[in-house]
Amino acid sequence: MEGIFQTSQNRFVDVNPSMSHILGYTTPKELISQITDIETQLFYKPNDHQAIVQLLQEHDVVINYECQVYQKDRKLIWVAI
């Protein structure tokens, strides 16, 4: 099960069903509509989001970046991006 997502700025544009399931949402549409600020609503440490954006800008890819994110119920889980 791999979560696949696309973002623009600080919002989700598209997510697959696995991504919504991993984060505890019923559907991709629910996740996209409820998370309106990825940095503060999803990431436990907002600087993780900034680090991922920087890696993308510098290398065009992020491999095995591990961090904690919140599920819908605010439970923390570890993910590798």
Side-chain angles (χ1 to χ4, degrees):
M1 175 172 29
E2 291 188 25
I4 299 172
F5 62 93
Q6 180 181 16
T7 64
S8 177
Q9 301 291 330
N10 198 22
R11 292 187 62 118
F12 285 109
V13 174
D14 196 18
V15 300
N16 71 345
S18 291
M19 180 73 170
S20 58
H21 177 75
I22 290 166
L23 295 177
Y25 292 86
T26 307
T27 64
K29 185 177 178 178
E30 178 190 20
L31 186 157
I32 291 168
S33 69
Q34 290 191 17
I35 297 183
T36 57
D37 185 339
I38 292 171
E39 190 169 289
T40 60
Q41 290 179 273
L42 183 65
F43 286 93
Y44 174 63
K45 296 179 181 175
N47 62 339
D48 281 327
H49 181 252
Q50 297 163 8
I52 291 165
V53 170
Q54 185 174 352
L55 286 168
L56 281 170
Q57 290 172 342
E58 293 173 2
H59 306 287
D60 293 326
V61 67
V62 176
I63 300 172
N64 293 325
Y65 185 95
E66 294 184 5
C67 61
Q68 287 182 291
V69 297
Y70 290 108
Q71 291 180 306
K72 181 180 178 181
D73 63 4
R74 300 304 284 170
K75 183 187 240 183
L76 284 170
I77 60 169
W78 283 95
V79 295
I81 297 177

